Coordinates of all heavy atoms in Angstrom, one line a residue:
V1 N 0.9 -1.2 0.0 CA 0.0 0.0 0.0 C 0.9 1.2 0.0 O 0.6 2.2 -0.8 CB -1.0 0.0 1.3 CG1 -1.6 1.4 1.4 CG2 -2.0 -1.1 1.0
L2 N 1.9 1.3 0.8 CA 2.8 2.4 0.9 C 3.5 2.6 -0.4 O 3.7 3.8 -1.0 CB 3.8 2.3 2.0 CG 3.4 2.7 3.4 CD1 4.5 2.4 4.4 CD2 2.9 4.1 3.4
Q3 N 3.9 1.5 -1.1 CA 4.6 1.6 -2.4 C 3.6 2.2 -3.4 O 4.0 3.0 -4.2 CB 5.1 0.3 -2.8 CG 6.4 -0.2 -2.1 CD 6.8 -1.6 -2.4 OE1 6.1 -2.3 -3.0 NE2 8.0 -1.9 -1.9
A4 N 2.3 1.7 -3.4 CA 1.3 2.3 -4.3 C 1.1 3.8 -4.1 O 1.0 4.5 -5.0 CB 0.0 1.5 -4.3
V5 N 1.0 4.2 -2.9 CA 0.8 5.6 -2.5 C 2.0 6.4 -3.0 O 1.9 7.4 -3.7 CB 0.6 5.8 -1.1 CG1 0.7 7.3 -0.7 CG2 -0.7 5.2 -0.6
N6 N 3.2 5.9 -2.7 CA 4.4 6.6 -3.1 C 4.5 6.8 -4.7 O 4.9 7.8 -5.1 CB 5.7 5.9 -2.6 CG 5.8 6.0 -1.1 OD1 5.2 6.9 -0.5 ND2 6.6 5.1 -0.5
R7 N 4.2 5.7 -5.4 CA 4.2 5.7 -6.8 C 3.2 6.7 -7.4 O 3.4 7.5 -8.2 CB 3.9 4.4 -7.5 CG 5.1 3.5 -7.6 CD 4.8 2.3 -8.5 NE 3.6 1.5 -8.1 CZ 3.6 0.6 -7.2 NH1 4.7 0.1 -6.6 NH2 2.4 -0.1 -6.9
K8 N 1.9 6.7 -6.8 CA 0.8 7.5 -7.3 C 1.0 9.0 -7.0 O 0.7 9.8 -7.8 CB -0.5 7.0 -6.7 CG -1.7 7.7 -7.4 CD -2.9 6.8 -7.2 CE -4.0 7.4 -8.0 NZ -5.0 6.6 -8.4
T9 N 1.6 9.2 -5.8 CA 1.7 10.7 -5.4 C 3.1 11.2 -5.8 O 3.3 12.5 -5.8 CB 1.5 10.9 -3.9 OG1 2.6 10.1 -3.2 CG2 0.2 10.3 -3.4
G10 N 4.1 10.4 -6.0 CA 5.4 10.9 -6.3 C 6.1 11.4 -4.9 O 7.1 12.0 -5.0
K11 N 5.5 11.1 -3.8 CA 6.0 11.5 -2.6 C 6.4 10.3 -1.7 O 5.5 9.3 -1.7 CB 5.0 12.4 -1.9 CG 5.5 12.8 -0.4 CD 4.4 13.7 0.2 CE 4.8 14.1 1.6 NZ 3.9 14.9 2.3
T12 N 7.5 10.2 -1.0 CA 7.8 9.1 -0.3 C 7.1 9.2 1.2 O 7.5 10.2 1.9 CB 9.3 8.9 -0.1 OG1 9.8 8.8 -1.4 CG2 9.7 7.7 0.7
I13 N 6.3 8.3 1.5 CA 5.7 8.2 2.8 C 6.5 7.1 3.6 O 6.5 6.0 3.1 CB 4.3 8.0 2.8 CG1 3.6 9.1 2.0 CG2 3.7 7.8 4.2 CD1 2.1 8.9 1.8
M14 N 7.0 7.4 4.7 CA 7.7 6.5 5.5 C 6.7 5.7 6.4 O 5.8 6.3 6.9 CB 8.7 7.1 6.3 CG 9.8 8.0 5.6 SD 10.7 7.1 4.3 CE 11.6 6.0 5.3
P15 N 6.9 4.5 6.6 CA 6.1 3.7 7.6 C 6.0 4.4 8.9 O 4.9 4.3 9.5 CB 6.8 2.3 7.6 CG 7.6 2.2 6.4 CD 8.1 3.7 6.0
S16 N 7.1 5.0 9.4 CA 7.0 5.7 10.7 C 6.0 6.8 10.7 O 5.3 7.1 11.7 CB 8.4 6.3 11.1 OG 8.8 7.2 10.1
Q17 N 5.8 7.5 9.5 CA 4.7 8.5 9.5 C 3.4 7.9 9.7 O 2.5 8.5 10.3 CB 4.8 9.3 8.1 CG 6.0 10.1 7.9 CD 6.0 10.6 6.5 OE1 6.4 9.9 5.5 NE2 5.6 11.9 6.3
V18 N 3.1 6.8 9.0 CA 1.8 6.1 9.1 C 1.6 5.6 10.5 O 0.5 5.8 11.0 CB 1.7 5.0 8.0 CG1 0.4 4.2 8.2 CG2 1.8 5.5 6.6
Q19 N 2.6 5.0 11.1 CA 2.5 4.5 12.4 C 2.2 5.7 13.5 O 1.4 5.5 14.4 CB 3.8 3.8 12.8 CG 4.0 2.5 12.1 CD 5.3 1.9 12.4 OE1 6.2 2.5 12.8 NE2 5.4 0.6 12.1
K20 N 2.9 6.8 13.2 CA 2.6 8.0 14.2 C 1.2 8.4 14.0 O 0.5 8.6 15.0 CB 3.5 9.1 13.7 CG 3.4 10.3 14.7 CD 4.5 11.4 14.3 CE 4.2 12.6 15.1 NZ 5.2 13.7 14.7
L21 N 0.7 8.5 12.8 CA -0.7 8.9 12.7 C -1.7 7.9 13.1 O -2.6 8.2 13.7 CB -1.0 9.3 11.2 CG -2.4 9.8 10.8 CD1 -2.7 11.0 11.6 CD2 -2.5 10.0 9.3
A22 N -1.4 6.6 12.8 CA -2.2 5.6 13.2 C -2.3 5.5 14.8 O -3.3 5.1 15.4 CB -1.7 4.2 12.8
G23 N -1.2 5.9 15.5 CA -1.2 5.9 16.9 C -2.2 6.9 17.5 O -2.6 6.8 18.7
T24 N -2.7 7.8 16.8 CA -3.6 8.8 17.2 C -5.1 8.3 17.0 O -6.0 9.0 17.5 CB -3.4 10.1 16.5 OG1 -3.8 10.0 15.1 CG2 -2.1 10.7 16.7
V25 N -5.2 7.3 16.3 CA -6.6 6.8 15.9 C -7.1 5.8 17.0 O -6.4 4.9 17.5 CB -6.6 6.0 14.6 CG1 -8.0 5.4 14.3 CG2 -6.1 6.9 13.5
K26 N -8.3 6.2 17.5 CA -8.9 5.3 18.5 C -10.2 4.7 17.9 O -10.7 5.3 16.8 CB -9.4 6.2 19.7 CG -8.1 6.9 20.4 CD -8.7 7.8 21.4 CE -7.4 8.4 22.2 NZ -7.1 9.7 21.8
P27 N -10.8 3.7 18.5 CA -12.0 3.1 18.0 C -13.1 4.2 17.8 O -13.8 4.2 16.8 CB -12.4 2.1 19.0 CG -11.1 1.7 19.6 CD -10.3 2.9 19.6
S28 N -13.1 5.2 18.7 CA -14.1 6.3 18.6 C -13.9 7.2 17.3 O -14.8 7.8 16.8 CB -14.1 7.2 19.8 OG -12.9 7.8 20.0
T29 N -12.7 7.2 16.8 CA -12.4 8.1 15.7 C -13.2 7.6 14.4 O -13.7 8.4 13.7 CB -10.9 8.0 15.3 OG1 -10.1 8.3 16.4 CG2 -10.5 8.9 14.1
M30 N -13.3 6.3 14.3 CA -14.1 5.8 13.1 C -15.6 5.9 13.3 O -16.3 5.9 12.4 CB -13.8 4.3 12.9 CG -12.4 4.1 12.5 SD -11.9 4.9 11.0 CE -10.3 4.4 10.8
R31 N -16.1 6.2 14.5 CA -17.5 6.3 14.8 C -17.9 7.8 14.8 O -19.1 8.2 14.6 CB -17.9 5.7 16.1 CG -17.8 4.2 16.0 CD -18.4 3.5 17.2 NE -17.6 3.8 18.5 CZ -16.6 3.2 19.0 NH1 -16.2 2.1 18.3 NH2 -16.0 3.5 20.1
D32 N -16.9 8.7 15.1 CA -17.2 10.1 15.2 C -16.9 10.8 13.9 O -15.8 10.8 13.4 CB -16.3 10.8 16.3 CG -16.6 12.2 16.5 OD1 -16.5 13.0 15.5 OD2 -16.9 12.6 17.6
E33 N -18.0 11.2 13.2 CA -17.8 11.8 11.9 C -16.8 12.9 11.8 O -16.0 13.0 10.8 CB -19.1 12.2 11.2 CG -19.0 12.5 9.8 CD -20.4 12.7 9.1 OE1 -21.4 12.0 9.5 OE2 -20.5 13.5 8.2
K34 N -16.8 13.8 12.7 CA -15.9 14.9 12.7 C -14.4 14.5 12.8 O -13.6 14.9 12.0 CB -16.2 15.9 13.8 CG -15.4 17.2 13.8 CD -15.8 18.1 14.9 CE -15.0 19.3 15.1 NZ -15.3 20.2 16.1
Q35 N -14.2 13.6 13.7 CA -12.8 13.0 13.9 C -12.4 12.2 12.6 O -11.3 12.3 12.2 CB -12.8 12.1 15.1 CG -12.9 12.8 16.4 CD -12.8 11.8 17.5 OE1 -12.4 10.7 17.4 NE2 -13.2 12.3 18.7
L36 N -13.4 11.5 12.1 CA -13.0 10.7 10.9 C -12.7 11.6 9.7 O -11.7 11.4 8.9 CB -14.2 9.8 10.5 CG -14.0 8.9 9.2 CD1 -12.8 8.0 9.4 CD2 -15.3 8.0 9.1
R37 N -13.4 12.7 9.5 CA -13.2 13.7 8.5 C -11.7 14.2 8.6 O -11.1 14.4 7.7 CB -14.2 14.8 8.4 CG -15.5 14.2 7.9 CD -16.6 15.4 7.9 NE -17.9 14.9 7.3 CZ -18.1 14.9 6.1 NH1 -17.2 15.3 5.2 NH2 -19.2 14.4 5.6
Q38 N -11.4 14.5 9.9 CA -10.1 15.1 10.2 C -9.0 14.1 9.8 O -8.0 14.4 9.2 CB -10.0 15.5 11.6 CG -8.7 16.2 12.0 CD -8.4 17.5 11.2 OE1 -9.4 18.2 10.9 NE2 -7.2 17.7 10.9
L39 N -9.2 12.9 10.2 CA -8.3 11.8 9.9 C -8.1 11.6 8.3 O -6.9 11.6 7.9 CB -8.7 10.5 10.4 CG -7.8 9.2 10.1 CD1 -6.4 9.4 10.6 CD2 -8.5 8.0 10.7
I40 N -9.2 11.7 7.6 CA -9.1 11.5 6.1 C -8.3 12.7 5.6 O -7.4 12.5 4.7 CB -10.5 11.5 5.5 CG1 -11.2 10.3 5.9 CG2 -10.4 11.7 3.9 CD1 -12.7 10.2 5.7
K41 N -8.5 13.9 6.1 CA -7.8 15.1 5.6 C -6.3 14.9 6.0 O -5.4 15.3 5.2 CB -8.3 16.3 6.2 CG -9.6 16.7 5.7 CD -10.3 17.9 6.3 CE -11.7 18.2 5.8 NZ -12.3 19.2 6.5
Q42 N -5.9 14.4 7.1 CA -4.6 14.2 7.5 C -3.9 13.1 6.7 O -2.7 13.3 6.2 CB -4.5 13.7 9.1 CG -4.8 14.8 10.0 CD -4.9 14.3 11.5 OE1 -5.5 13.3 11.7 NE2 -4.1 15.0 12.3
V43 N -4.5 12.0 6.4 CA -4.0 11.0 5.5 C -3.7 11.6 4.1 O -2.7 11.4 3.4 CB -4.9 9.8 5.4 CG1 -4.4 8.8 4.4 CG2 -5.0 9.1 6.8
G44 N -4.7 12.4 3.6 CA -4.6 13.0 2.3 C -3.4 13.9 2.2 O -2.6 13.9 1.3

């Protein structure tokens, strides 16, 4: 997935970046629309 993102965007995303962001995600994040929208924007 990271390789596909890197190829498509032309930007190198390090696994540590994903892990850091993933560490902020809680089960409630996926249920709370405001938090989910913020997460989508952060991933983008």
Side-chain angles (χ1 to χ4, degrees):
V1 170
L2 278 179
Q3 287 174 348
V5 170
N6 291 341
R7 276 193 309 272
K8 188 157 188 154
T9 64
K11 180 178 178 185
T12 302
I13 298 174
M14 303 303 295
S16 60
Q17 291 175 281
V18 176
Q19 289 172 344
K20 182 178 177 182
L21 184 57
T24 67
V25 178
K26 299 178 176 101
S28 62
T29 304
M30 295 299 183
R31 292 187 297 269
D32 182 304
E33 188 168 327
K34 184 178 178 181
Q35 290 179 16
L36 181 56
R37 287 177 178 278
Q38 183 61 34
L39 176 62
I40 293 166
K41 290 175 184 176
Q42 287 175 310
V43 172

